[in-house]
Amino acid sequence: MRIQTLRKVLAVTVAATMLAMPLTVGATDSAESSSAQTTANVEEVKTTSQVVAPGGTVIKNELPGAFQIQASAPITGMAVRVAPATIKQQAGLAANETPFVSAYTIDRKKSAAVYASFDAAAATVGGTTLGGINIDLGKLTGGKFTELPEGVSIPFSMGIKDYNPALTYYVVKVLPGGATEMIPVTVENGVISFEITGGLAGYGLIAK
């Protein structure tokens, strides 16, 4: 399934808590959106999300979206940490436009090219790629999804599974055109936070 089809499927989930059909999630895997896929049941694709930090602190997602985390992923939760009204103002959205995000883990075997970019970035800091996610930040207008421009930037957090305070954690951002960038992060109590930008990008979690 290509990304355009994914957008149509995910747009439906904004008004649904659970569906009873299979969902195939496309992954960024090259200079263009590829046919590499991660398959999940829609029951696993949640329309709400949160990060529970060690000690019980909960960070709730504030943006409408669809979220899917594979059981094998090194992530325990995902959350956008800014209200839709703030994003609407930043992006200059109209009253009938609603910010929307889809975020889902990607598999090394099915997304080999983007993982190659993650690994190359990890090598520059002497680290190891733990895993990765795709995030597509856009808007819904009458149920139709379109991407926001890359200039829109919002705070995002992930819980780190098996967090080790002795390690240093990084995030590398990979765009569909192949551009790669190590982005600033903060890590506190097992939660890594960074800025995501409009449109589709892969974000790799690295540890050293």
Side-chain angles (χ1 to χ4, degrees), residues 1 4 12 21 34 95 143:
M1 179 183 296
Q4 187 61 40
V12 175
M21 64 180 70
S34 79

Side-chain angles (χ1 to χ4, degrees), residues 14-163:
V14 74
T17 57
M18 182 178 293
L19 300 176
M21 64 180 70
L23 171 69
T24 303
V25 180
T28 303
D29 193 35
S30 66
E32 298 180 356
S33 299
S34 79
S35 59
Q37 300 171 343
T38 297
T39 302
N41 293 322
V42 172
E43 285 84 351
E44 299 171 354
V45 181
K46 301 176 181 179
T47 55
T48 60
S49 183
Q50 64 182 20
V51 178
V52 180
T57 301
V58 177
I59 302 169
K60 292 186 177 181
N61 174 69
E62 298 190 41
L63 184 63
F67 305 87
Q68 186 264 329
I69 301 176
Q70 294 169 305
S72 60
I75 299 164
T76 60
M78 300 183 282
V80 173
R81 302 182 67 166
V82 64
T86 302
I87 301 173
K88 289 186 71 166
Q89 183 177 18
Q90 181 186 158
L93 301 186
N96 66 332
E97 296 177 320
T98 302
F100 187 89
V101 64
S102 62
Y104 48 95
T105 52
I106 51 179
D107 180 82
R108 177 179 287 274
K109 292 181 180 179
K110 297 177 181 178
S111 302
V114 72
Y115 266 87
S117 295
F118 293 161
D119 291 341
T124 66
V125 296
T128 301
T129 302
L130 300 181
I133 62 174
N134 271 358
I135 301 176
D136 204 355
L137 177 60
K139 63 182 180 180
L140 290 175
T141 309
K144 180 181 179 181
F145 181 89
T146 54
E147 292 176 343
L148 290 177
E150 190 180 352
V152 177
S153 179
I154 63 173
F156 187 87
S157 292
M158 303 187 304
I160 302 172
K161 186 183 294 183
D162 300 323
Y163 170 66

